[in-house]
Amino acid sequence: MADQLSPDEKFNLITRNLQEVLGEEKVKQVLQERELRVYWGTATTGKPHVAYFVPMSKIADFLKAGCEVTVLFADLHAYLDNMKAPWELLELRVKYYEQVIKAMLESIGVPLDKLKFVKGTNFQLSREYTLDVYRLSSMVTEHDAKKAGAEVVKQVEHPLLSGLLYPGLQALDEEYLKVDAQFGGVDQRKIFTLAEKYLPSLGYAKRAHLMNPMVPGLTGAKMSSSEEESKIDLLDSKEDVKKKLKKAFCEPGNIQNNGVLSFVKYVLFPLRGGFSIKRDAKWGGDKVYSVFEEVEKDFAAEMIHPGDLKASVEVALNELLEPIRKKFESPELRKLTSEAYPDPSKTKAGGKGVKAGGGGGGGGGEDDELAPSRLDIRVGKIISVEKHPDADSLYLEKIDVGEPEPRTVVSGLVAYISQEDLQDRLVLVLCNLKPQKMRGIESQAMLLCASIEGEPRKVEPLDPPEGSSPGERVFVEGYESGKPDDRLNPKKKVWEKLQVCFFVNVYNG
């Protein structure tokens, strides 16, 4: 097919459904001379979900347009991004991603022989690449690195240096993969502009950048591997698909942040060239659409019921998922799945440094697997709050956590919440951190808060479940049976590693 297309037709196919293209003229110039070389990278972190069909459908477009496409399994990036993938699991997760991505491509009819698959650490640990990382780090400011990764790298209060390296490595990948363009979501735009700014400073060419829109998840927000309710896994059963779609946000007539409608637009239409609504004859009967705009128009006019849209997407989605499910029924791939994504509720039986006779009776112990049950989180009541005598940004609180005496807690909330709003408030308190002096006063626990980054930044203490009393322990669902450590070992950074995985889904500020 590509041999029969003009450069303009190839360009239109390459760029259809994209939200933005940086370097259009460069792409057009290359297409006048030869086929475009493109790469798409994916960090091998959580399990891929159905939103991955969006980049897969674009990869299909690239191949139809004759592009030379490289798929990068970015294992080093997965580790650098707040250790979303532990080092010991990197190899297993690369193998899982390779199997599942290939299964996805096969399910939509993409010939694998036209693709090149590369693992990041196969070239990112070379002498030349490492030297370029150092060269780049001597040019990129901390501000630019942090800004570039703001929408991609997990944002935490105390970011690791590794997260600042992430954008620079992604920029260098363009040179080491010898491509003309990088393809990714529009959430990576700041990384792409960093690449355009700094690669020429190293003597390398500036590449073009092709950006997909961010497709809403089932809850209406971005679909995420770490948020169970927002996504449908590629290996979910038909029953699970039905259940998740039934709960999906799909308000009658609302075409904004509608993940079900977006899946029709960005996956089903590009792959199938049309979409069928299946419904009872008394509601108008089946209808076949050849352009997405007609689907959107009818849904906005409430001529398509959300239930009919969901049922029709369910049929089409299961047709895409069935070949993937069948492939992963093999014993080898079942084993790979369980090894790459071990059940976090199952602790390791022993390990390096464990003495005979158990782990020291600390409740969880430093050699146990990282699990939320190791945290002693309790309901607390703030019985007094005042400004720290030596620090304008700190509060000094007395919090009842169900012990004979209240604990003294120092927290940096002055800029975010008033003393009046804290007084007599029920809060959540982490009670087994090592006490730490803050401007001369020992803080004996941590008041837990949620934050929303932006301008201005918002910080709000977490609210305990209704009807709670001071001293009651609060659990993470699925980890109710574990015993907390008597005291978290600060050298093991148990809280720091677990904290990056905690999110809230309701904000009342």
Side-chain angles (χ1 to χ4, degrees):
M1 174 185 173
D3 294 339
Q4 301 168 1
L5 298 178
S6 69
D8 285 344
E9 288 171 328
K10 290 179 180 179
F11 178 81
N12 290 335
L13 188 54
I14 289 167
T15 58
R16 74 167 176 174
N17 282 336
L18 294 180
Q19 182 165 324
E20 187 176 3
V21 177
L22 298 177
E24 284 190 10
E25 292 307 313
K26 176 178 178 60
V27 173
K28 289 178 179 179
Q29 180 183 342
V30 171
L31 290 173
Q32 293 290 339
E33 302 167 3
R34 56 173 171 79
E35 305 299 0
L36 191 73
R37 292 191 286 266
V38 184
Y39 106 80
W40 172 73
T42 179
T44 52
T45 54
K47 288 182 181 178
H49 44 72
V50 296
Y52 277 62
F53 276 116
V54 179
M56 295 304 104
S57 68
K58 276 311 302 175
I59 287 174
D61 282 347
F62 296 155
L63 292 174
K64 289 174 187 173
C67 297
E68 298 174 19
V69 181
T70 297
V71 174
L72 172 67
F73 297 116
D75 52 343
L76 191 55
H77 286 79
Y79 182 71
L80 291 175
D81 188 0
N82 269 289
M83 295 179 289
K84 284 183 180 177
W87 190 264
E88 63 272 15
L89 293 181
L90 284 185
E91 186 65 31
L92 289 166
R93 292 201 175 170
V94 168
K95 291 177 181 177
Y96 179 86
Y97 263 68
E98 182 171 2
Q99 291 294 333
V100 84
I101 294 295
K102 286 181 176 179
M104 290 182 77
L105 291 166
E106 288 171 335
S107 80
I108 62 176
V110 174
L112 299 183
D113 60 334
K114 301 290 185 182
L115 289 162
K116 181 180 179 183
F117 295 92
V118 177
K119 184 171 73 168
T121 48
N122 283 351
F123 66 90
Q124 291 165 342
L125 301 179
S126 69
R127 181 182 181 279
E128 294 80 8
Y129 189 97
T130 303
L131 181 58
D132 272 343
V133 171
Y134 287 131
R135 291 173 63 203
L136 194 60
S137 67
S138 72
M139 301 174 184
V140 180
T141 65
E142 181 266 348
H143 172 271
D144 282 0
K146 191 172 182 180
K147 180 181 176 182
E151 294 187 49
V152 177
V153 178
K154 186 177 287 296
Q155 299 300 294
V156 295
E157 188 173 356
H158 302 291
L160 299 174
L161 179 60
S162 59
L164 299 177
L165 294 174
Y166 187 114
L169 269 66
Q170 187 168 334
L172 286 174
D173 291 344
E174 296 178 354
E175 170 64 23
Y176 280 79
L177 292 172
K178 303 301 179 186
V179 296
D180 306 303
Q182 183 180 173
F183 165 59
V186 73
D187 60 334
Q188 300 187 60
R189 189 183 196 280
K190 292 174 183 175
I191 293 181
F192 293 161
T193 55
L194 178 131
E196 293 190 6
K197 178 179 178 179
Y198 285 104
L199 281 189
S201 300
L202 294 174
Y204 299 141
K206 182 168 77 172
R207 270 66 178 189
H209 295 96
L210 314 171
M211 284 169 271
N212 254 348
M214 299 309 296
V215 176
L218 301 181
T219 59
K222 175 184 172 182
M223 195 174 290
S224 168
S225 295
S226 61
E227 296 181 34
E228 190 62 32
E229 292 301 311
S230 79
K231 66 186 177 71
I232 294 174
D233 284 334
L234 297 170
L235 302 181
D236 274 350
S237 66
K238 290 183 178 180
E239 293 73 23
D240 285 336
V241 171
K242 180 184 288 291
K243 182 169 65 175
K244 290 183 178 181
L245 279 173
K246 189 174 181 179
K247 293 166 64 176
F249 174 80
C250 192
E251 189 177 44
N254 188 345
I255 59 175
Q256 304 298 320
N257 296 320
N258 188 325
V260 182
L261 206 55
S262 294
F263 191 81
V264 176
K265 178 177 182 179
Y266 293 108
V267 176
L268 299 182
F269 263 94
L271 293 178
R272 302 185 169 196
F275 179 63
S276 297
I277 287 287
K278 300 184 180 300
R279 57 192 171 189
D280 194 282
K282 66 181 179 181
W283 304 117
D286 295 353
K287 184 172 181 179
V288 178
Y289 292 88
S290 57
V291 292
F292 172 75
E293 288 71 21
E294 291 298 317
V295 180
E296 189 176 53
K297 178 182 173 185
D298 282 0
F299 188 82
E302 298 189 27
M303 295 173 65
I304 298 176
H305 189 275
D308 293 328
L309 178 66
K310 290 179 180 182
S312 302
V313 168
E314 180 188 338
V315 172
L317 181 54
N318 277 317
E319 289 175 359
L320 293 175
L321 295 180
E322 194 56 32
I324 303 172
R325 294 186 190 117
K326 285 186 176 178
K327 179 174 181 176
F328 274 76
E329 285 175 358
S330 73
E332 294 81 9
L333 291 185
R334 283 186 179 182
K335 181 182 179 185
L336 174 61
T337 303
S338 64
E339 289 179 342
Y341 297 93
D343 185 344
S345 66
K346 295 179 180 178
T347 57
K348 292 182 279 189
K352 191 193 301 184
V354 177
K355 297 178 182 178
E366 65 184 47
D367 294 303
D368 285 358
E369 184 160 338
L370 207 60
S373 55
R374 296 180 63 180
L375 306 176
D376 183 7
I377 300 175
R378 299 185 218 166
V379 176
K381 182 176 181 179
I382 300 177
I383 57 178
S384 73
V385 54
E386 58 188 52
K387 289 279 189 71
H388 192 295
D390 298 318
D392 292 339
S393 64
L394 301 177
Y395 281 134
L396 189 61
E397 301 129 1
K398 295 288 186 180
I399 303 182
D400 176 7
V401 291
E403 297 171 339
E405 297 293 330
R407 292 202 187 194
T408 299
V409 177
V410 181
S411 56
L413 295 174
V414 172
Y416 305 107
I417 190 166
S418 68
Q419 288 179 240
E420 292 75 16
D421 285 339
L422 286 175
Q423 182 66 46
D424 297 323
R425 181 170 182 157
L426 288 178
V427 292
L428 296 187
V429 183
L430 180 60
C431 294
N432 59 342
L433 289 172
K434 182 180 179 180
Q436 182 176 349
K437 282 197 173 182
M438 298 180 70
R439 299 297 291 270
I441 296 179
E442 185 177 77
S443 183
Q444 299 166 336
M446 178 189 289
L447 196 161
L448 298 182
C449 297
S451 66
I452 297 177
E453 302 303 321
E455 293 295 337
R457 183 173 185 242
K458 297 180 181 179
V459 178
E460 186 79 15
L462 296 177
D463 292 322
E466 193 172 343
S468 300
S469 301
E472 290 183 339
R473 191 163 171 224
V474 177
F475 300 91
V476 174
E477 188 175 3
Y479 297 89
E480 294 88 348
S481 60
K483 183 182 177 184
D485 290 17
D486 292 335
R487 179 168 292 175
L488 297 172
N489 186 337
K491 293 182 180 179
K492 298 293 183 180
K493 297 190 179 298
V494 175
W495 163 245
E496 289 81 358
K497 292 175 182 177
L498 287 169
Q499 176 252 332
V500 298
C501 302
F502 291 163
F503 298 88
V504 295
N505 56 11
V506 177
Y507 177 71
N508 296 318

